[in-house]
Amino acid sequence: MAEGLDMEELLTAFKKFAVHGDTKATGKELNGKNWAKLCKDCKIVDGKNVTSTDVDIVFSKVKQKSSRVVTYEEFVRALEELAPKRFKSQSKDEALQSMFKLVEGREPTNAGVTKMSKTAAVDRLTDTARYTGSHKERFDESGKGRGREGREEIVENTGYVGAYRNAGTYDAKTKEK
């Protein structure tokens, strides 16, 4: 087997992939989807010697019959099964060490995540200065949304009609007389 430090890094990688994409995951068990992601991200799947089908078959082999996840010990056994297949020219121990080195310290990647578009059409459509009509009232001068105030007609109980120009001047007029 590998040294203690290497096994710690392997355990860390296992935990990171175990919790990836699942808010309820504890990090103690790895599901099939995350196992396949680990194999792809760590370059265990090379397309020739090890394919995604091989990865799924090994996962099914090492997990408990009624379980849908693998523990850390089963994970290490799965790597042991894939090592000779991935590194055919090496001895079994060398292949296992090479396999551990592929996985150690790795984390899930977010390749293919959609990035925000920055085209002229998107800029034109999202420029709040160009809004007209009722949509213009939803934003202030800086382009920041006004929230509920911009969407709904909020009733002011001042006693004046909605668009009355001299609202709030009654007290000043009565004091003058």
Side-chain angles (χ1 to χ4, degrees):
M1 275 285 167
E3 297 87 46
L5 181 65
D6 293 344
M7 294 307 276
E8 281 298 316
E9 288 185 21
L10 195 66
L11 179 62
T12 304
F14 172 81
K15 286 181 179 178
K16 285 181 181 176
F17 277 95
V19 298
H20 179 72
D22 187 5
T23 55
K24 296 180 189 113
T26 61
K28 294 183 174 132
E29 296 173 326
L30 186 71
N31 63 24
K33 177 179 70 93
N34 287 355
W35 162 249
K37 180 167 182 54
L38 179 141
C39 291
K40 191 173 130 221
D41 289 356
C42 295
K43 309 262 188 304
I44 293 171
V45 175
D46 62 356
K48 287 187 249 171
N49 299 329
V50 178
T51 63
S52 59
T53 307
D54 297 325
V55 167
D56 291 337
I57 290 169
V58 168
F59 182 81
S60 296
K61 231 188 252 187
V62 297
K63 73 176 180 65
Q64 301 285 321
K65 292 292 178 211
S66 61
S67 179
R68 299 175 79 185
V69 292
V70 292
T71 62
Y72 178 69
E73 291 75 26
E74 293 167 336
F75 164 73
V76 172
R77 266 193 314 176
L79 290 178
E80 288 171 3
E81 287 223 14
L82 282 176
K85 192 165 185 153
R86 173 69 166 83
F87 300 100
K88 289 183 177 177
S89 61
Q90 298 176 354
S91 71
K92 191 169 184 173
D93 288 338
E94 289 174 344
L96 188 58
Q97 290 301 320
S98 298
M99 185 67 85
F100 286 163
K101 285 201 177 6
L102 283 177
V103 178
E104 285 168 2
R106 299 294 298 265
E107 344 187 308
T109 59
N110 289 328
V113 175
T114 306
K115 292 176 181 60
M116 195 168 136
S117 177
K118 277 292 189 188
T119 61
V122 173
D123 286 342
R124 189 177 70 247
L125 292 171
T126 56
D127 182 10
T128 56
R130 294 177 169 220
Y131 288 177
T132 59
S134 63
H135 300 293
K136 189 173 192 164
E137 295 172 12
R138 294 181 55 204
F139 300 92
D140 60 12
E141 294 76 35
S142 67
K144 187 168 171 26
R146 290 187 177 158
R148 184 172 169 240
E149 184 181 314
R151 288 190 306 272
E152 296 175 8
E153 188 82 28
I154 298 175
V155 179
E156 296 175 14
N157 292 324
T158 60
Y160 290 98
V161 182
Y164 184 60
R165 276 190 310 174
N166 299 321
T169 58
Y170 178 76
D171 290 336
K173 285 183 180 178
T174 55
K175 285 183 184 175
E176 288 174 10
K177 293 182 180 181

